Amino acid sequence: MSIHFPLMADGLLDAIQPAPRFKSVAGRGDAPLPAGTPIFASNMVFSPLMLMKQSALENNLRQLADFCHEQGVMLAAHAKTSMSPAILRRAVTEGGAWGLSAATPAQVRALRQFGIRNVFLANQLVDPAGIHWIGEWQKQHPAHGFLCYVDSMQGVRLLEQHLSDSRIAVLLEMSVSGGRTGCRTQREALEIATAIAACPALQLVGVAGYEGALGAERDATGIARVQDYCQMLIATAALLAEKQLFSSDTIILSAGGGAWFDVVSTCFNEARLSLPITPLIRSGAYMAHDNGLYARIAPFSQPDARYHFEAALEIWGRVLSRPEPGLAFVDFGRRDVPFDQDLPNPLWVRNVDGSAPRAASGMRIREVNDQHAYLLLPDEDTLKPGDWVGCGISHPCTAFDKWRYLPLVDDDYCVTDSLETAF
């Protein structure tokens, strides 16, 4: 029987069909893997695939919830890391979060559609369409909490103009010279806070910032820089309280990303102002943690930590080729894995049928192209084309956005739930 292989283009196309939604699901890719599916003992999975370990996710939610309870701080877990309703709803129902943080109006809209009642836009709200949408939502859902930043007189004017008859609560954002968004001086902060207090559409309820932009190492000097930054936020709040510019009975002090929430919590809890303080931290990467950046810098990764996080994300791919001694190519790359902080870290190897798991001893990823990973390994290693290589990742904030779907799996790599994302 001969094989038909056209050597000339005929200009014809088959009828278009719906695009596959789930690139790691075999077949049509139009439905997630059913619960109970064994990842490595079925023909239902395409390589590569990103997955999340359920036990690690549950541990991480529980660990930060316990920390927040012990420290008496509120948590607005940052949603931008995963943008996955199945994960983010757990942060509220199981992880004790007051609500979730967003970075853009589109993320605010997504969180509302996920059913999240309290949302903190940890950013300036200056887009007229976004202001209008958020204002209308708040007017129709007065029991839903909403917060955002202001750091300029123009920002106050835009909110006043486009909120119409809606009202929202805002925090004055502070930063340092060369830092990210935020007022640079207390004089500027006082001017803007005075304008907020005079605006019927706005209620000033706190002071906020982001210490992660300081770029500090986690050593004595870095800790001191973060502490100084927190003291600047506290001093600004004290000044605004003295001028009676807050419209609430308590002052929200908010900072604390994934690297410094422990230092931030301590500083805010030690502050003494004329009004009670509500510390509010905004970590998001903790839900997934990692085997790279946050494994080095996260508070619970330090030697004296009372709590601990576990890496929940793994990328699995198949060996494409072993073209020369000490080198193999795996079928994932920049389209599939984060590479902005560290390259993936090989952890496990399995045979082509998923059997015989073993440690990826002596292996490391040297670089990644769009769809190839350069895997260095001992010359004598028996790894062959078709075998699985499983890696931990670094920086979960740039991992989830590459996947519309990830299976949540138990410790035996059987599917327990479906995680879809909304980037």
Side-chain angles (χ1 to χ4, degrees):
M1 177 179 174
S2 62
I3 298 174
H4 175 64
F5 184 79
L7 296 177
M8 296 181 64
D10 57 15
L12 300 178
L13 294 171
D14 291 333
I16 193 168
Q17 300 181 37
R21 294 181 60 208
F22 309 117
K23 65 182 181 180
S24 59
V25 179
R28 295 178 59 88
D30 57 357
L33 295 170
T37 300
I39 292 293
F40 299 111
S42 71
N43 290 318
M44 300 179 67
V45 174
F46 279 166
S47 175
L49 79 154
M50 183 84 77
L51 57 80
M52 191 172 201
K53 303 293 286 293
Q54 178 173 309
S55 59
L57 170 62
E58 292 174 347
N59 171 77
N60 299 345
L61 293 174
R62 184 174 61 253
Q63 293 287 312
L64 191 57
D66 290 347
F67 171 86
C68 290
H69 179 75
E70 177 192 83
Q71 294 293 314
V73 300
M74 291 172 57
L75 171 63
H78 220 314
K80 68 176 177 61
T81 301
S82 72
M83 289 303 294
S84 172
I87 297 174
L88 298 175
R89 287 174 65 89
R90 286 185 179 216
V92 176
T93 59
E94 301 174 23
W98 161 84
L100 298 178
S101 292
T104 67
Q107 290 179 7
V108 174
R109 179 180 60 186
L111 295 183
R112 293 306 193 195
Q113 292 181 218
F114 295 171
I116 305 303
R117 297 177 64 87
N118 293 325
V119 176
F120 184 176
L121 176 59
N123 217 338
Q124 278 65 35
L125 178 55
V126 297
D127 172 55
I131 296 171
H132 176 76
W133 190 91
I134 288 169
E136 287 300 305
W137 180 280
Q138 293 307 122
K139 190 163 57 175
Q140 296 169 21
H141 303 84
H144 289 191
F146 178 78
L147 302 167
C148 72
Y149 291 167
V150 177
D151 77 344
S152 68
M153 295 296 291
Q154 175 66 1
V156 175
R157 284 190 285 268
L158 285 168
L159 290 170
E160 185 174 25
Q161 178 182 355
H162 295 285
L163 280 172
S164 184
D165 57 346
S166 303
R167 258 190 125 191
I168 62 171
V170 302
L171 292 86
L172 187 78
E173 187 189 13
M174 297 293 296
S175 190
V176 297
S177 178
R180 215 158 72 175
T181 53
C183 302
R184 273 22 182 191
T185 67
Q186 288 195 352
R187 179 178 178 180
E188 183 184 13
L190 182 58
E191 179 186 12
I192 296 167
T194 302
I196 293 171
C199 177
L202 305 178
Q203 293 178 290
L204 183 63
V205 299
V207 175
Y210 176 56
E211 77 292 339
L214 298 177
E217 297 291 333
R218 199 171 179 95
D219 54 18
T221 301
I223 292 172
R225 288 182 67 185
V226 173
Q227 291 171 332
D228 290 344
Y229 181 75
C230 290
Q231 293 306 317
M232 182 264 288
L233 298 181
I234 294 167
T236 302
L239 173 63
L240 303 186
E242 177 187 341
K243 301 296 184 181
Q244 299 183 341
L245 294 174
F246 290 109
S247 58
S248 56
D249 295 331
T250 183
I251 299 172
I252 298 174
L253 292 178
S254 180
W260 297 102
F261 60 78
D262 57 334
V263 177
V264 168
S265 297
T266 299
C267 289
F268 288 170
N269 277 328
E270 292 176 349
R272 297 295 178 265
L273 301 179
S274 58
L275 291 172
I277 295 170
T278 298
L280 178 60
I281 62 173
R282 307 187 305 270
S283 180
Y286 76 97
M287 299 178 214
H289 197 50
D290 69 9
N291 291 100
L293 176 67
Y294 286 98
R296 296 191 299 272
I297 69 173
F300 296 172
S301 298
Q302 305 313 306
D304 58 348
R306 291 180 51 199
Y307 300 95
H308 73 282
F309 291 144
E310 298 174 4
L313 293 178
E314 294 177 2
I315 178 75
W316 284 83
R318 290 191 184 272
V319 177
L320 294 168
S321 173
R322 285 206 61 177
E324 59 187 73
L327 177 66
F329 286 90
V330 186
D331 63 354
F332 55 73
R334 295 173 182 172
R335 306 291 187 186
D336 314 295
V337 296
F339 56 93
D340 56 315
Q341 296 291 339
D342 306 283
L343 294 173
N345 178 26
L347 300 175
W348 305 102
V349 170
R350 290 173 178 261
N351 292 339
V352 65
D353 61 359
S355 65
R358 60 184 173 90
S361 301
M363 299 185 187
R364 70 177 179 90
I365 303 292
R366 187 184 73 194
E367 62 179 295
V368 291
N369 299 150
D370 283 355
Q371 218 71 62
H372 293 82
Y374 293 67
L375 177 67
L376 303 183
L377 72 168
D379 294 353
E380 67 277 9
D381 195 284
T382 58
L383 192 70
K384 60 185 181 299
D387 286 351
W388 287 102
V389 177
C391 297
I393 59 94
S394 179
H395 200 195
C397 298
T398 50
F400 284 98
D401 62 318
K402 296 170 175 57
W403 297 86
R404 297 176 67 181
Y405 158 77
L406 299 82
L408 188 69
V409 302
D410 62 21
D411 289 345
D412 294 320
Y413 291 90
C414 288
V415 176
T416 62
D417 202 355
S418 299
L419 307 176
E420 296 190 40
T421 64
F423 287 98

